[in-house]
Amino acid sequence: MTSSKMARTAREAKRWLEDQIVEEVPDGLALCEFGCRKLQCRMGEWEHCERRLKDLESRRQWEAAHS
């Protein structure tokens, strides 16, 4: 097997592995996934989370100002 074919096979394997592990996170959940120390919210907490609601409002304001 040539080195270029091995490199291409390695890239394809890496891409396949990433597709199996890495998942897109919707913008509305990104703060929760990456910016919150809680592993899981209790029932009803997420809907009333002050931090999440402030982030959502900031996003809306930014979008309104840039559209």
Side-chain angles (χ1 to χ4, degrees):
M1 186 181 281
T2 65
S3 62
S4 63
K5 187 173 181 179
M6 285 181 11
R8 187 176 70 235
T9 302
R11 281 192 307 273
E12 289 171 358
K14 180 183 177 206
R15 191 173 306 126
W16 177 85
L17 185 60
E18 286 174 343
D19 288 345
Q20 302 306 306
I21 297 172
V22 179
E23 190 175 322
E24 294 282 329
V25 176
D27 288 340
L29 295 178
L31 177 69
C32 299
E33 286 289 327
F34 304 113
C36 185
R37 65 181 189 270
K38 284 185 165 188
L39 298 178
Q40 190 171 5
C41 290
R42 287 182 284 171
M43 194 77 134
E45 264 185 326
W46 185 83
E47 291 88 0
H48 304 289
C49 175
E50 189 175 317
R51 192 167 178 219
R52 184 187 70 83
L53 294 173
K54 282 182 183 177
D55 182 63
L56 186 60
E57 183 58 30
S58 294
R59 287 174 187 269
R60 286 183 184 145
Q61 290 175 355
W62 188 89
E63 288 175 1
H66 294 88
S67 38

